[in-house]
Amino acid sequence: MLSVLSALGLQINKVTGNSMLPVIPANSYILFYTQFRHHKLKVGDIVRVNHPLYGNIIKQICQIEQNHSAFWLQGMNSESVSIREMGVIKPEQISAKLLLSIKPK
């Protein structure tokens, strides 16, 4: 099953923190699309980022630099890493775009 998902450019992850509350609570399962195009990302999209300090994190795009050359991301909760702490994100650091989240019961 996982190899089929991977072949379609899909990955499933489980959320462990509260930085995206209330939209994506901890223990939610999220379906990501990995074969997206960076130039089609827009403000409000939720993405998975390979950050050099924080590892794989999930954040929302809040600002896009000209020609999609850089992105600024934010969490949705006060527990999240701040925009300044995270710094500017290069397109190649964005590894996937959120398609679907399934909240825990």
Side-chain angles (χ1 to χ4, degrees):
M1 174 75 167
L2 290 179
S3 61
V4 172
L5 289 176
S6 182
L8 295 172
L10 302 172
Q11 291 182 350
I12 297 174
N13 293 110
K14 186 175 182 179
V15 176
T16 58
N18 291 319
S19 70
M20 296 301 286
L21 274 174
V23 176
I24 306 173
N27 298 315
S28 294
Y29 285 93
I30 48 181
L31 180 65
F32 279 111
Y33 184 56
T34 61
Q35 297 177 358
F36 67 98
R37 299 201 186 325
H38 290 96
H39 69 276
K40 293 198 175 205
L41 291 173
K42 60 188 181 306
V43 171
D45 284 344
I46 296 174
V47 295
R48 185 180 64 205
V49 176
N50 296 321
H51 195 279
L53 294 176
Y54 304 109
N56 281 323
I57 56 176
I58 302 164
K59 300 295 175 203
Q60 183 178 46
I61 297 173
C62 61
Q63 184 178 343
I64 301 173
E65 299 294 328
Q66 187 176 15
N67 298 321
H68 287 74
S69 60
F71 297 83
W72 292 91
L73 308 177
Q74 65 185 6
M76 297 177 170
N77 187 290
S78 61
E79 292 183 27
S80 181
V81 173
S82 74
I83 294 169
R84 287 190 183 126
E85 290 171 315
M86 196 174 330
V88 68
I89 302 297
K90 299 174 188 170
E92 57 270 17
Q93 290 176 268
I94 300 175
S95 60
K97 178 182 173 184
L98 179 78
L99 288 179
L100 173 72
S101 68
I102 301 168
K103 297 178 183 182
K105 292 184 177 183

